[in-house]
Amino acid sequence: MAGMYRSRVAGIGSYLPEKILSNFDLEKMVETSNQWIVERTGIERRHIAAEGEGTSDLCLRAAQKALADANLTAQDIDMIIVGTVTGDRQMPSTACYVQSKLGCRNIVAFDLNAACSGFLYSVSIADQFIRTGMYKNVLVLGAEVLSRFVNFKDRETCILFGDGAGAWVLQRAEEGDRNVIASSHLHADGDLAELLTLPGGGSLMPQSQFVLDNNLHYVSMKGREIFKNAVRTMALCCKEALEANDMSPDKVDWIVPHQANKRIVEAVADQFKFPMERVILYLHETGNTSSASIPLAFDWAVQNGKIKRGQTILLTAFGAGLTSGSVLLRY
């Protein structure tokens, strides 16, 4: 690591749309119940983007908070990465819209599709650019408007997903600063790609009347297989991070996992005998917001006095692909 810089989390922010869709609202839409949803997922409500509100709009609100927290302006940002699977348009990238709306300089901006692992993938990439000295301040966002791609007649999926955005400003750390990103570990297993897909709308199956008639423009998921592989991959990524840093689980102050399902999180914690009291859970409020879930939960935990500066945090996620990853940092 000689001659390389390190990254620190300089600022964080998040945004949830005002409209709330509760489990009781869903009871009126599909055959389900609040009790059934809470017992199986831990989700109580989710936020829904307003009509005309796109992913870049959510990003803008979260980014403005993160910049203020970092005591920076848009002119200080060298690079923007947006982790999302629900961008404003197929092209251009949502990151370009964010760059324009923020009023940033003519900087590099791009989207990254790793589904629910998208934020960790983006953090890792930003960290590499900072470590090599190429950039000093990188804006990393995880944002989704999943409600536009969920079939609200399908009770298997419509109970799970919500909209939101989270943002971090990663910054070159001063020499000797211990509050830095220690390591990141990323994976993908394309053999399991069909477990969670959005079948229609891409080059393989372009948008058509057939796609619409057969609901192929909505998220499709094989829940049981996803559950099993989610526990397996997140546990492996956590183990990898701990071993790479020669650290035991008791040295970690908090785990912030992808907020998909409470039972999945509990199973991962059980693998390490890690107490749930030190696992951040925010999915009761947000549902599964894919790439936005970790920064949303992280920001909520900071605002509520749980996560504090100087603490060691382990982030872990899985997503369609199947992608997975972990990031270990000292906040």
Side-chain angles (χ1 to χ4, degrees):
M1 200 61 68
M4 296 188 76
Y5 298 102
R6 305 298 293 273
S7 310
R8 62 183 289 268
V9 182
I12 61 173
S14 65
Y15 172 71
L16 288 169
E18 291 183 11
K19 181 181 177 181
I20 292 174
L21 184 68
S22 71
N23 292 346
F24 297 105
D25 295 324
L26 286 172
E27 286 181 349
K28 303 169 186 175
M29 300 166 66
V30 292
E31 186 180 343
T32 191
S33 70
N34 173 66
Q35 181 180 357
W36 190 90
I37 297 171
V38 171
E39 286 179 354
R40 284 160 179 77
T41 70
I43 300 167
E44 298 176 16
R45 63 191 68 84
R46 65 287 295 148
H47 292 247
I48 305 296
E51 185 176 351
E53 189 174 39
T55 300
S56 66
D57 298 310
L58 275 58
C59 285
L60 176 64
R61 301 286 287 273
Q64 289 170 334
K65 294 178 182 178
L67 286 170
D69 190 43
N71 196 28
L72 296 175
T73 71
Q75 293 297 306
D76 297 313
I77 297 300
D78 303 311
M79 179 182 192
I80 298 173
I81 309 174
V82 177
T84 188
V85 296
T86 57
D88 287 10
R89 294 193 168 104
Q90 192 82 12
M91 67 173 183
S93 72
T94 297
C96 287
Y97 287 120
V98 174
Q99 181 260 344
S100 174
K101 291 178 180 182
L102 275 175
C104 297
R105 294 173 289 111
N106 185 7
I107 57 173
V108 60
F110 64 92
D111 292 355
L112 185 150
N113 180 348
C116 304
S117 305
F119 186 74
L120 296 192
Y121 268 59
S122 300
V123 166
S124 178
I125 290 170
D127 180 45
Q128 309 312 312
F129 275 100
I130 291 174
R131 282 175 181 252
T132 59
M134 190 165 185
Y135 297 125
K136 291 184 178 179
N137 297 302
V138 181
L139 176 62
V140 181
L141 296 124
E144 306 287 4
V145 181
L146 284 160
S147 61
R148 308 263 163 83
F149 302 89
V150 171
N151 184 355
F152 282 96
K153 295 181 180 179
D154 177 11
R155 67 174 184 172
E156 297 299 317
T157 56
C158 74
I159 66 171
L160 299 175
F161 298 104
D163 306 336
W168 281 12
V169 174
L170 289 189
Q171 185 176 68
R172 182 188 298 176
E174 297 290 336
E175 189 173 349
D177 191 344
R178 297 181 59 220
N179 294 346
V180 296
I181 292 177
S183 66
S184 58
H185 308 273
L186 308 174
H187 301 278
D189 185 353
D191 290 340
L192 301 174
E194 294 304 309
L195 297 185
L196 181 54
T197 67
L198 184 58
S203 62
L204 183 62
M205 191 183 296
Q207 199 65 267
S208 66
Q209 194 59 50
F210 175 83
V211 168
L212 297 174
D213 290 344
N214 290 276
N215 293 324
L216 298 172
H217 55 304
Y218 293 132
V219 171
S220 174
M221 182 181 70
K222 297 178 181 178
R224 290 185 180 181
E225 290 89 344
I226 284 289
F227 189 106
K228 177 179 65 177
N229 284 287
V231 174
R232 177 182 61 83
T233 56
M234 287 207 295
L236 285 172
C237 287
C238 287
K239 180 181 179 183
E240 184 178 23
L242 293 171
E243 289 179 349
N245 293 277
D246 194 22
M247 184 178 293
S248 58
D250 62 290
K251 299 299 182 184
V252 176
D253 292 294
W254 296 98
I255 290 180
V256 185
H258 168 45
Q259 310 283 300
N261 182 306
K262 186 179 179 182
R263 288 184 173 183
I264 291 175
V265 174
E266 289 173 339
V268 173
D270 184 62
Q271 296 261 348
F272 299 95
K273 301 298 182 284
F274 200 87
M276 284 300 295
E277 292 77 20
R278 284 166 39 217
V279 177
I280 300 300
L281 277 178
Y282 190 40
L283 55 81
H284 61 280
E285 178 64 34
T286 65
N288 181 347
T289 55
S290 187
S291 65
S293 79
I294 285 178
L296 278 168
F298 195 101
D299 190 37
W300 172 81
V302 170
Q303 300 304 323
N304 284 271
K306 295 177 180 289
I307 293 177
K308 298 179 176 65
R309 284 290 182 182
Q311 291 183 331
T312 299
I313 317 294
L314 178 57
L315 316 176
T316 185
F318 75 97
L322 286 176
T323 61
S324 59
S326 63
V327 172
L328 186 70
L329 63 97
R330 186 180 168 104
Y331 178 62

